[in-house]
Amino acid sequence: MLQRVLAYLTQTLRGFVFSSTMVVAVLAFTGAALSATLLYEHLLDQRARDTSAQITRQTYLAVQDALRQPDGHREAQRLIDTFRLVFPQNLSAIRIQGVGSNTAAELQAQGVVVEALGDTLRYSYPLAAAAQCQSCHRQLDSGQLPFGAVVVDYAWPRLTDESRLHYIALFIGLGALALLTSLAVSLSSTRKIHRSLDLLAERVEEVNSIRDVERLQLNDVDLGFRELNDTFKHVTHLVQRLKGVAVDRDILEFEISLLEKLIITTNVVKDWRAFIKNLLVEINQIVDAYALVTIFKVDEEAYECEVFWRYPPTENTRRQFETVLQRRLDETPFMAGAVFLPVAHNIAEDGGAVELDERQIELQTKSLVLETPRIGGIAGIGLQTTILATDNVRKMVIGSILTAMLNLVGSVKAIYKYTKDLEHYATRDPLTGLYNQRMFWELLAAEEKRVQRSEDSFALMVIDLDNFKQINDGYGHHVGDTFLQTFAAGLKQAVRQADQLCRYGGDEFCVILPQADEGEAHGVAKRVAEMLESFVCQAPDGTPLKATASIGIAVYPQHGNTPKDIFLIADNMMYKAKRSGKNAIAAPNADELAEAFRKLAEKMAMIQRALDQKRIVPYFQPICGVGDGQVAIHELLMRIDIDGRIVPAGEFIAEAERMGLVHQMDYLLIEQAFAQVQAAAYRGMLFINLSPKSLIIGEFVSKVRHLAEHYGVVPGQIVFEITERETVGNLAVLEAFVLELKEQGFCFAIDDFGSGYSSFHYIKHFPVDFIKIEGEFVRNVVDDEVYRAFIKSIATLAQELGMRTIAEFVEDRPILDELRLFGIDYAQGYYLGRPQASLHPAGTRLPA
């Protein structure tokens, strides 16, 4: 309680004025009272002395006169008794007495002797001898002075204590009056100040943003004193200065929330339009923005535009907006004359209709336009908004936020387009639109599972064009691509509606026929052959190009128990049809089935023997820097040495995985490769392909780490390379595997990037060091605009994420030159170097 009182008196203006007034009043009053008391007491003493002197003298004179009367002593005594009755409190004693020589001398000199005896004043007055005195006192000489004295004891009236009591009462009364006066003065002096400060506080409480500061008025605040008003003028000036440099809290909060949105999730990418609508609503918290425009390049000459409105625009506003937008785009040099698809309009939220005239649309715009789309086809993004031109700081901050927001929107849209392309090209052949080879295997596996549940059957046709090589070589790749597209369109018409068509590669096609036996499959194959009889594709010179096909058929489960067995049989039957003269249909008989499985058994025996006899040998394919052409990396490849014949992995790796031996083969391969690295003192990087089967071997990474330590290989030299499409079903296992190998110091690469569904998921969730771009994209990059745009997008995305890129299947100089333009880091392919049994020293420049 005491602390609160002290705080109020010393830390508040009202308390300070009150306490200061009280202190001054008390000091002044105390000084005045003390001075008055001393003076009053002095006056009382002086008056008491004067009074006592007068009374005692009158008493003395009366006694002296009485002594001169006959019977003087009796008369004097009677008079003395009378005086004591009149002044009972003052005259304590009156007597006549003789004096000594000293007193007599003093009386003779002064006439009276005054002594202070405590609270009594003793007056001694001289008596002279007269004639009457000699009648009784014969020894006296007439005129002798003095021979005695009249002594009067006067009791001094001490009125000081009583007066002090009265003074204390008076002091208390006057103190209370001073207290009330001080309180009145403090209230009066601070009331006006507090009234002005309360007004100021109310206005300050209303300030929540820089806009509120701009509306803050302080000119009518009067603190009641010139000095305080002068000080407040400086404060007001400071506030005006702060307006020019302060940043709105709402702006900063929005900027922070915008930074949080830089973490682009799968849901954001999936529903990018809703994401942009939400952003548009949020940006209106700090600045009025009525529309956001996105422009994306969909092919060489065509652009798509989407306008996102906060509120629904009127039809007139929509038309004028499109007119202004088209004029702006025509004024952009590289967009002039381009074809724009119909503008799509999106509404963020319901509200009042937006009504704008052309001047308003033209007036305020924040735009980003890219001459060359770097990723996802982004050509331009614009935000129609209003920014206060008088507030440079706020304009600058909001401008930077809008720029970040536009970049964010562009990134989301680009990633959306990129992932959609990934999904499409992961399942579709971009040339013909049919399913691609990898999707073929998934569809085949799914059909096998369906048949196992339903105890049904399905058939598989493998189709190979007989004369396509002559057409491709004679008329060029462009004509060959047109020929394949025309054939694919005819193939769709020839097969059943439920049949699944795939382009397996080159001029080889596969057709999965659900719920079909050998007879039904043969009927569909005959319709394909009949379609080809009337099939014609015109060459540029007008020459009609025709085609025939060799078709092989296999039926599950009649001809095989696994998808690979069925494909092996159908593929063998396709070659049987070719051997029989082409333009034929072939299905297996019992002897042919036995022969195919006999070859499979021989292959499995070869794998087991190669493992037992340690005939697994390492081969190394160089990977060169695109910029300098120097060997920086080797990819480790597995081969089997059978009596001097080198068998490539493609001929046995699938069977090795089925046999469950692939991880043992990997161990043996890695050990031999590490031995060569040590012997050659190789300091470059080594890419090791891993089968998905190796991921489930818990001690795989630790074993490889042990081998690296044994042979002196630095873990940072080793890059584990996993094919994306083969790990989609093992994401949890893959994540644990990748984290373990990164903890051990190894690196991680995704092979065949873009061939499966999970590209975006991998680069978002896994610490990827290298991306190896799907070889099919690279092989066709020179002639195919879609593949070129796709590789360009992958390269830009990898650069933004700090990952290095490797392009596979670089088979000629034009491909390498094209990759150099995109900023690809490394290249691999037969043009740069074929696999061989020895390592090139790091830094070697190959004669490409």
Side-chain angles (χ1 to χ4, degrees):
M1 180 66 182
L2 180 60
Q3 291 181 344
R4 287 201 296 267
V5 172
L6 291 175
Y8 174 79
L9 294 177
T10 58
Q11 298 178 10
T12 64
L13 180 63
R14 182 173 294 171
F16 180 76
V17 171
F18 172 73
S19 59
S20 299
T21 305
M22 279 297 300
V23 168
V24 172
V26 168
L27 290 176
F29 183 75
T30 301
L34 182 61
S35 300
T37 300
L38 294 176
L39 180 61
Y40 182 62
E41 288 183 358
H42 177 74
L43 290 175
L44 284 177
D45 288 345
Q46 187 64 41
R47 185 174 180 181
R49 285 179 179 275
D50 292 344
T51 302
S52 63
Q54 291 177 5
I55 292 174
T56 57
R57 185 166 182 78
Q58 291 297 326
T59 302
Y60 157 69
L61 292 175
V63 171
Q64 188 178 39
D65 288 341
L67 287 174
R68 291 175 179 168
Q69 298 297 326
D71 198 10
H73 281 280
R74 184 177 293 114
E75 189 66 26
Q77 187 61 44
R78 185 185 60 78
L79 188 61
I80 289 172
D81 293 337
T82 302
F83 272 104
R84 293 188 65 181
L85 289 173
V86 175
F87 301 102
Q89 295 179 351
N90 299 111
L91 297 177
S92 59
I94 304 173
R95 61 186 179 276
I96 302 169
Q97 65 181 30
V99 296
S101 58
N102 292 333
T103 303
E106 188 174 355
L107 288 174
Q108 187 175 6
Q110 298 181 6
V112 63
V113 175
V114 182
E115 298 176 84
L117 302 175
D119 292 337
T120 302
L121 291 176
R122 176 168 290 177
Y123 289 87
S124 298
Y125 292 98
L127 288 175
Q132 294 90 339
C133 297
Q134 291 178 349
S135 62
C136 294
H137 302 280
R138 293 181 178 89
Q139 74 276 17
L140 297 177
D141 294 331
S142 179
Q144 184 180 353
L145 184 69
F147 71 93
V150 178
V151 179
V152 182
D153 290 339
Y154 187 86
W156 191 6
R158 290 286 184 175
L159 301 177
T160 305
D161 292 338
E162 184 179 354
S163 65
R164 283 176 180 169
L165 291 176
H166 289 291
Y167 175 73
I168 289 173
L170 179 63
F171 179 79
I172 293 174
L174 293 177
L177 180 61
L179 176 64
L180 294 175
T181 303
S182 299
L183 182 61
V185 170
S186 64
L187 290 175
S188 176
S189 61
T190 59
R191 182 179 294 110
K192 189 172 184 179
I193 297 176
H194 275 282
R195 186 165 53 248
S196 299
L197 291 178
D198 289 342
L199 176 62
L200 177 62
E202 291 177 3
R203 295 181 181 179
V204 171
E205 283 295 326
E206 297 173 355
V207 174
N208 294 305
S209 67
I210 295 301
R211 293 179 179 178
D212 297 332
V213 174
E214 293 169 356
R215 293 191 292 267
L216 182 62
Q217 295 295 329
L218 302 176
N219 295 331
D220 57 344
V221 176
D222 182 11
L223 298 180
F225 299 95
R226 182 186 302 169
E227 292 80 0
L228 292 179
N229 285 334
D230 290 341
T231 302
F232 190 71
K233 287 180 181 179
H234 294 295
V235 175
T236 305
H237 181 64
L238 177 61
V239 171
Q240 297 298 326
R241 296 282 298 272
L242 287 176
K243 290 181 184 180
V245 297
V247 178
D248 201 320
R249 182 188 67 186
D250 293 339
I251 299 176
L252 295 179
E253 289 177 351
F254 180 79
E255 188 170 18
I256 292 172
S257 67
L258 188 65
L259 291 175
E260 293 174 352
K261 290 179 173 61
L262 292 177
I263 303 175
I264 303 173
T265 64
T266 305
N267 291 335
V268 167
V269 175
K270 183 178 180 181
D271 197 0
W272 69 277
R273 289 184 177 86
F275 175 77
I276 294 179
K277 291 177 183 178
N278 291 335
L279 271 184
L280 186 57
V281 173
E282 290 182 21
I283 192 65
N284 274 274
Q285 297 175 7
I286 62 169
V287 64
D288 295 331
Y290 53 84
L292 187 148
V293 182
T294 64
I295 305 169
F296 289 85
K297 189 175 183 179
V298 294
D299 58 37
E300 282 300 317
E301 297 296 335
Y303 295 85
E304 65 175 16
C305 300
E306 292 202 41
V307 182
F308 293 82
W309 296 89
R310 184 186 182 187
Y311 297 125
T314 63
E315 186 61 32
N316 181 60
T317 299
R318 182 179 300 195
R319 286 197 306 269
Q320 292 206 31
F321 193 91
E322 291 184 12
T323 301
V324 172
L325 178 61
Q326 184 65 57
R327 184 168 65 249
R328 286 281 185 89
L329 295 176
D330 289 340
E331 293 170 356
T332 305
F334 64 90
M335 288 186 180
V339 176
F340 287 89
L341 302 179
V343 178
H345 293 268
N346 305 274
I347 310 302
E349 60 181 349
D350 295 331
V354 177
E355 180 70 46
L356 302 171
D357 56 32
E358 185 173 340
R359 184 192 63 81
Q360 291 173 311
I361 296 173
E362 289 274 13
L363 182 61
Q364 304 285 354
T365 304
K366 177 70 178 178
S367 302
L368 293 176
V369 180
L370 304 177
E371 182 173 350
T372 303
R374 293 184 296 175
I375 181 171
I378 301 173
I381 302 172
L383 185 69
Q384 272 57 46
T385 180
T386 57
I387 302 176
L388 297 177
T390 58
D391 189 348
N392 292 328
V393 174
R394 190 166 184 265
K395 181 178 180 180
M396 178 184 67
V397 174
I398 293 178
S400 65
I401 290 176
L402 297 184
T403 301
M405 192 187 87
L406 295 181
N407 281 319
L408 176 62
V409 170
S411 298
V412 170
K413 178 61 168 69
I415 293 175
Y416 170 79
K417 183 177 183 298
Y418 170 69
T419 52
K420 294 297 289 185
D421 288 344
L422 277 180
E423 292 176 2
H424 178 78
Y425 293 117
T427 59
R428 298 285 179 172
D429 169 54
L431 180 64
T432 62
L434 304 180
Y435 290 118
N436 59 19
Q437 181 183 134
R438 289 169 176 80
M439 191 61 186
F440 162 73
W441 287 108
E442 294 188 19
L443 292 173
L444 196 62
E447 187 62 18
E448 178 203 19
K449 289 183 175 64
R450 185 194 66 79
V451 170
Q452 288 175 347
R453 292 192 300 268
S454 63
E455 297 182 356
D456 198 354
S457 64
F458 73 87
L460 174 64
M461 291 194 317
V462 175
I463 305 171
D464 189 86
L465 296 175
D466 293 327
N467 58 340
F468 178 71
K469 189 175 186 306
Q470 289 81 0
I471 294 173
N472 207 38
D473 293 344
Y475 293 95
H477 292 290
H478 182 70
V479 175
D481 289 347
T482 303
F483 187 89
L484 291 176
Q485 289 173 332
T486 307
F487 170 74
L491 186 60
K492 289 179 183 178
Q493 301 299 320
V495 301
R496 303 176 307 175
Q497 186 174 1
D499 295 338
Q500 298 167 333
L501 281 69
C502 309
R503 182 189 177 197
Y504 194 80
D507 61 344
E508 188 173 357
F509 297 81
C510 297
V511 183
I512 301 173
L513 297 89
Q515 297 178 326
D517 55 20
E518 184 174 340
E520 290 172 311
H522 200 274
V524 174
K526 287 185 65 175
R527 288 205 299 273
V528 172
E530 291 171 359
M531 179 272 293
L532 287 172
E533 291 178 0
S534 59
F535 175 83
V536 177
C537 180
Q538 294 288 337
D541 60 0
T543 303
L545 304 177
K546 295 185 63 65
T548 60
S550 298
I551 303 174
I553 297 174
V555 179
Y556 179 92
Q558 178 181 342
H559 298 146
N561 296 321
T562 67
K564 290 186 180 294
D565 289 345
I566 291 298
F567 178 77
L568 175 65
I569 298 301
D571 193 55
N572 284 339
M573 292 303 99
M574 182 271 291
Y575 282 108
K576 174 186 175 182
K578 281 191 177 294
R579 289 193 299 271
S580 66
K582 301 182 180 180
N583 194 21
I585 301 170
N589 55 38
D591 293 337
E592 290 167 335
L593 281 175
E595 178 63 18
F597 286 116
R598 182 186 64 79
K599 290 181 178 179
L600 180 60
E602 289 178 353
K603 186 176 295 185
M604 295 172 68
M606 175 193 71
I607 293 171
Q608 187 64 60
R609 187 168 63 254
L611 188 58
D612 294 340
Q613 299 176 4
K614 295 187 177 182
R615 291 182 175 272
I616 309 298
V617 295
Y619 264 58
F620 306 93
Q621 185 173 15
I623 300 176
C624 303
V626 172
D628 56 19
Q630 294 183 359
V631 176
I633 305 169
H634 282 86
E635 180 176 355
L636 176 62
L637 304 173
M638 185 184 294
R639 300 289 187 265
I640 292 179
D641 186 351
I642 301 296
D643 300 326
R645 184 175 74 89
I646 302 300
V647 181
E651 295 187 19
F652 62 81
I653 197 68
E655 285 71 20
E657 288 184 349
R658 291 174 57 189
M659 294 170 67
L661 300 176
V662 70
H663 67 282
Q664 297 182 33
M665 300 171 74
D666 281 340
Y667 288 143
L668 183 58
L669 176 71
I670 292 171
E671 182 174 11
Q672 295 188 41
F674 282 3
Q676 285 203 36
V677 169
Q678 183 185 51
Y682 175 68
R683 294 294 177 263
M685 304 192 78
L686 187 66
F687 275 55
I688 299 176
N689 284 283
L690 289 181
S691 165
K693 301 294 184 182
S694 299
L695 303 183
I696 63 176
I697 308 300
E699 70 277 7
F700 183 85
V701 175
S702 60
K703 283 188 176 182
V704 175
R705 175 65 186 238
H706 177 73
L707 289 175
E709 292 175 353
H710 179 73
Y711 288 99
V713 178
V714 178
Q717 289 182 261
I718 308 304
V719 182
F720 286 113
E721 183 178 339
I722 299 177
T723 302
E724 174 200 351
R725 61 182 174 84
E726 294 179 331
T727 58
V728 174
N730 298 298
L731 292 180
V733 177
L734 175 61
E735 183 174 7
F737 179 83
V738 171
L739 292 178
E740 183 181 3
L741 69 86
K742 294 294 287 186
E743 288 176 1
Q744 296 289 337
F746 298 104
C747 297
F748 177 63
I750 293 293
D751 193 12
D752 295 336
F753 186 79
S755 64
Y757 302 103
S758 305
S759 299
F760 180 71
H761 181 88
Y762 286 168
I763 63 176
K764 184 175 185 293
H765 292 283
F766 297 151
V768 178
D769 300 293
F770 292 88
I771 291 175
K772 296 189 75 174
I773 302 172
E774 163 67 12
E776 185 177 356
F777 302 157
V778 178
R779 184 190 293 115
N780 297 287
V781 69
V782 175
D783 301 318
D784 194 299
E785 180 63 29
V786 174
Y787 283 139
R788 184 184 300 112
F790 203 57
I791 292 178
K792 187 187 303 182
S793 296
I794 293 176
T796 304
L797 185 64
Q799 290 169 6
E800 293 291 332
L801 299 177
M803 303 172 185
R804 286 170 285 181
T805 49
I806 301 174
E808 301 179 287
F809 287 77
V810 178
E811 298 177 350
D812 54 39
R813 185 73 188 189
I815 293 177
L816 185 62
D817 292 339
E818 195 75 19
L819 296 175
R820 187 176 291 112
L821 294 176
F822 299 154
I824 300 297
D825 298 304
Y826 301 100
Q828 177 183 7
Y830 285 173
Y831 176 70
L832 298 169
R834 292 176 177 269
Q836 58 185 28
S838 60
L839 288 159
H840 292 88
T844 302
R845 186 183 298 276
L846 297 179

